Amino acid sequence: MDTSLLNKALASKSYDKIADICDNLMLQDAAEGIDFQDEWPYEIHLLGHIYNSDTNSARFMWKKIPAAIKEARPEVVAVWKIGQKLWTRDYAGVHEAIREYSCSNEVQPIVASFAELYKKRMFELLLSAYSTISIQDAARFLGMNENDATNYVLQQGWVLDSASQMLTVKKQAVITEQKLDPSKLQRLTEYVFHLEH
């Protein structure tokens, strides 16, 4: 099994490519009749699908993993716990599963990168779904304690009502680029000139 492409993706922190690389390697090894089950990096493969928010593929990958591997490698089970929380949309549970996960040095950077990515995704979700939200709920979605969550969103321009402990969401300004059509500008100029004279 040639894992050089996978190792290169891990070294360059291209975690969004891991799932496709692992899928292709698995298919290639299966086509060549290579029995890879004992040495296959299941935890990395699962994390690749989780990193890409592809919970369907992660779920099917989990089902394909032999029971003996699941029993012998607790890290695979820990990764799947994150996947389960994503599958059931237990947003706060995802953060909890990440915190409880004690991973190997090889997998730790992927988990840390996913945790940061997931926090950003949850922040974007809060931006699009809420106009006001309690500090407690924001903290749960962002996987932080209430003080850290408050500081984080205040840095993003949100406003805190101390009396009600509610945060007012500051929507991001949508920047649209206007393209000037010279012919329209010319017609407008001629029209204004005609009105003035």
Side-chain angles (χ1 to χ4, degrees):
M1 172 171 54
D2 179 19
T3 59
S4 59
L5 211 59
L6 177 61
N7 294 335
K8 189 176 177 181
L10 291 171
S12 66
K13 299 184 182 194
S14 300
Y15 303 131
D16 57 332
K17 297 178 182 175
I18 291 173
D20 287 338
I21 292 169
C22 287
D23 288 344
N24 290 332
L25 281 173
M26 187 178 264
L27 288 172
Q28 180 182 350
D29 287 353
E32 295 173 6
I34 299 172
D35 182 16
F36 54 82
Q37 290 186 359
D38 291 337
E39 58 192 62
W40 188 257
Y42 289 108
E43 50 281 319
I44 292 174
H45 196 162
L46 272 172
L47 275 170
H49 287 300
I50 289 169
Y51 193 89
N52 293 337
S53 295
D54 188 357
T55 52
N56 282 330
S57 294
R59 196 174 118 237
F60 290 124
M61 179 73 208
W62 172 254
K63 289 180 177 186
K64 288 193 298 190
I65 299 173
I69 299 290
K70 293 175 185 176
E71 291 173 12
R73 293 168 51 185
E75 193 167 16
V76 173
V77 176
V79 170
W80 178 237
K81 188 173 182 185
I82 297 169
Q84 284 177 308
K85 299 298 182 181
L86 282 170
W87 181 258
T88 60
R89 292 188 172 101
D90 179 358
Y91 303 116
V94 172
H95 294 293
E96 186 180 317
I98 291 169
R99 280 191 298 272
E100 290 174 356
Y101 181 22
S102 60
C103 49
S104 64
N105 290 337
E106 182 181 36
V107 175
Q108 199 282 328
I110 306 168
V111 174
S113 180
F114 173 72
E116 188 61 30
L117 179 66
Y118 186 71
K119 179 177 72 172
K120 288 178 182 175
R121 287 177 185 163
M122 289 299 97
F123 181 74
E124 293 297 321
L125 178 68
L126 294 178
L127 273 176
S128 65
Y130 290 90
S131 56
T132 59
I133 186 170
S134 70
I135 293 173
Q136 183 181 14
D137 288 342
R140 209 170 57 243
F141 274 100
L142 297 172
M144 303 175 173
N145 65 43
E146 291 183 13
N147 287 335
D148 290 344
T150 303
N151 290 333
Y152 181 79
V153 298
L154 289 177
Q155 289 174 359
Q156 308 300 321
W158 292 19
V159 179
L160 170 66
D161 180 357
S162 300
S164 66
Q165 294 294 290
M166 294 294 287
L167 295 160
T168 301
V169 177
K170 180 183 178 197
K171 303 288 184 189
Q172 301 290 336
V174 178
I175 300 171
T176 56
E177 187 177 313
Q178 282 189 337
K179 295 184 180 185
L180 286 176
D181 182 1
S183 64
K184 288 182 182 177
L185 186 58
Q186 179 64 34
R187 281 186 293 178
L188 180 63
T189 305
E190 289 172 2
Y191 181 73
V192 171
F193 181 77
H194 180 67
L195 289 176
E196 290 179 350
H197 298 345

